[in-house]
């Protein structure tokens, strides 16, 4: 005990912890001298009093464990210079700075040139509907059976049936919807007539109802389109996308458009039910703006130009 620094704070702490032990000893001493306890008060056993006295002494003994002074504590400072350099390959990389690409047109087209262009109807493409239809029986055949007799799985049947129903919907939409590029914008029309045979002159084009998301007409001007694309690729487009600013801004956050973190316009999505190559050709021909999409080829060419 004498090896530690004994201060006034240590003395007060020891004294306060010793008081309960002292009073417990006095109570034990008085109880042991009584021969008969008063009526109405239960008799306290000697073993209980001994246990209480032992716990009090243990609590008091902790008061005499002196706490070393703060001056005795030693601190070790870290030496930054001792840290090895180049811990990883990213230490010398600059911080990421988000950059926004600017939409550009494939070719500049004047309004007069657009007015002289003929209206073009994009032909349908049934490839997406056929691919989804083939997935139906493939899922039914490939899904494992959980039955002892090896009968077809109900999960496979329902999954394959759903794809067949969806393929039927895509087939009908492909046959009855046409995209028409006109003088100042493009619009989606419905085909109305016998067998929906518009290509042979047996049916006609009628205007579609208003867009169910934005509540506007399904027609968009070329000058208001700021981007368009095809997913997953132009060779097999499942979803076609474009963004325009013609829709009022207060309608930009409706439905799935609310997930667009960039904002700056109203996005639209439709399945690849038309000839995408013709669609892209008309967009470029009429000077519709689009953000450049980086590819492996364009990235390699950009690196070569920077080295030069």
């Amino acid at each position: 005990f004498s090896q530690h620094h004994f201060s006034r704070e240590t003395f007060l702490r020891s004294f306060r912890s010793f008081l309960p032990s002292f009073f417990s000893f006095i109570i034990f001493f008085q109880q042991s001298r009584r021969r008969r306890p008063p009526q109405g008060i239960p008799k306290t056993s000697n073993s209980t009093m001994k246990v209480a006295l032992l716990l009090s002494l243990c609590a008091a003994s902790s008061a005499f464990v002196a706490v070393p002074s703060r001056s005795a504590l030693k601190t070790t400072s870290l030496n930054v210079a001792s840290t090895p350099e180049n811990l990883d390959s990213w230490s010398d990389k600059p911080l990421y700075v988000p950059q926004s690409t600017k939409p550009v047109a494939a070719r500049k087209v004047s309004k007069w040139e657009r007015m002289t262009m003929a209206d073009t109807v994009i032909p349908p493409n049934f490839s997406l509907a056929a691919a989804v239809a083939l997935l139906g029986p493939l899922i039914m055949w490939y899904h494992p059976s959980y039955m002892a007799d090896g009968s077809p799985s109900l999960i496979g049947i329902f999954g394959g049936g759903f794809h067949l129903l969806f393929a039927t919907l895509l087939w009908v939409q492909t046959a009855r919807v046409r995209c028409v590029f006109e003088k100042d914008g493009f619009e989606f029309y419905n085909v109305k007539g016998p067998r929906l045979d518009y290509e042979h002159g047996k049916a006609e084009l009628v205007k579609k109802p208003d867009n169910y998301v934005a509540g506007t007409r399904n027609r968009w001007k070329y000058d208001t389109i700021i981007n368009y694309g095809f997913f997953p690729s132009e060779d097999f487009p499942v979803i076609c996308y474009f963004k325009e600013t013609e829709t009022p801004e207060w309608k930009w956050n409706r439905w799935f458009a609310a997930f667009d973190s960039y904002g700056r316009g109203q996005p639209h999505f439709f399945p690849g039910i038309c000839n995408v190559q013709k669609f892209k050709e008309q967009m470029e021909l009429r000077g519709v703006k689009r953000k450049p999409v980086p590819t492996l080829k364009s990235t390699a060419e950009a690196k070569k130009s920077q080295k030069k």
Side-chain angles (χ1 to χ4, degrees):
F1 182 81
S2 60
Q3 295 178 358
H4 299 282
H5 178 71
F6 191 80
S7 61
R8 181 173 177 271
E9 181 181 358
T10 306
F11 174 76
L12 294 177
R13 177 174 174 268
S14 303
F15 182 74
R16 286 195 300 267
S17 301
F18 181 73
L19 283 179
S21 302
F22 177 75
F23 286 119
S24 299
F25 178 76
I26 296 298
I27 294 173
F28 174 75
F29 181 74
Q30 290 180 356
Q31 293 289 341
S32 63
R33 295 184 59 184
R34 293 181 182 178
R35 295 180 179 180
R36 294 180 181 180
Q39 295 180 358
I41 301 176
K43 183 177 179 181
T44 306
S45 63
N46 292 335
S47 60
T48 304
M49 295 301 299
K50 290 179 181 180
V51 172
L53 179 61
L54 180 62
L55 294 176
S56 300
L57 291 176
C58 292
S61 63
S62 63
F64 294 96
V65 179
V67 180
S69 61
R70 296 182 178 180
S71 60
L73 298 177
K74 295 182 180 180
T75 58
T76 303
S77 59
L78 295 177
N79 188 5
V80 181
S82 61
T83 304
E85 297 181 359
N86 297 329
L87 291 176
D88 50 58
S89 60
W90 301 98
S91 301
D92 55 346
K93 301 292 183 181
L95 295 177
Y96 170 73
V97 179
Q99 297 180 356
S100 178
T101 56
K102 184 178 180 181
V104 295
R107 58 188 294 266
K108 293 183 179 181
V109 181
S110 62
K111 292 183 179 181
W112 173 256
E113 187 177 357
R114 285 177 182 170
M115 296 300 294
T116 58
M117 293 182 182
D119 296 347
T120 303
V121 179
I122 305 300
N125 188 355
F126 292 89
S127 299
L128 179 61
V132 176
L134 290 176
L135 285 176
L138 184 63
I139 293 174
M140 295 180 184
W141 170 76
Y142 183 76
H143 198 280
S145 175
Y146 299 104
M147 302 298 179
D149 56 353
S151 58
S153 171
L154 292 178
I155 299 177
I157 294 175
F158 281 108
F162 171 78
H163 282 76
L164 289 176
L165 291 176
F166 186 60
T168 304
L169 175 62
L170 288 176
W171 194 280
V172 172
Q173 288 295 97
T174 304
R176 67 187 292 266
V177 177
R178 294 292 184 274
C179 178
V180 182
F181 282 83
E182 299 174 343
K183 304 299 182 183
D184 60 341
F186 73 93
E187 185 173 358
F188 287 99
Y189 289 89
N190 284 337
V191 179
K192 184 178 180 181
R195 298 183 180 180
L196 303 179
D197 192 359
Y198 173 77
E199 281 68 27
H200 295 86
K202 297 180 180 180
E204 60 180 356
L205 298 179
V206 295
K207 292 184 179 180
K208 290 176 63 66
D210 291 343
N211 190 278
Y212 68 93
V213 175
T216 58
R217 184 180 173 185
N218 290 299
R219 178 185 174 85
W220 298 275
K221 295 182 179 180
Y222 303 127
D223 294 334
T224 62
I225 300 175
I226 58 176
N227 193 19
Y228 64 93
F230 314 98
F231 302 99
S233 66
E234 298 178 11
D235 297 328
F236 188 75
V238 177
I239 296 295
C240 302
Y241 152 84
F242 68 93
K243 180 183 284 189
E244 45 83 16
T245 57
E246 186 175 355
T247 302
E249 186 174 354
W250 62 274
K251 295 183 179 181
W252 290 357
N253 60 347
R254 288 186 174 184
W255 294 67
F256 52 82
F259 297 96
D260 183 14
S261 59
Y262 290 96
R264 307 172 190 171
Q266 172 68 38
H268 297 271
F269 302 89
F270 62 95
I273 57 178
C274 63
N275 191 319
V276 172
Q277 284 72 26
K278 296 290 184 180
F279 182 89
K280 180 184 176 183
E281 179 183 340
Q282 289 296 321
M283 292 289 251
E284 294 178 347
L285 181 64
R286 299 171 192 269
V288 179
K289 294 181 180 180
R290 182 187 185 186
K291 290 186 177 181
V293 180
T295 59
L296 295 176
K297 183 178 180 180
S298 62
T299 304
E301 292 177 355
K303 289 182 179 180
K304 289 182 180 179
S305 61
Q306 290 178 357
K307 291 180 180 180
K308 293 180 180 180

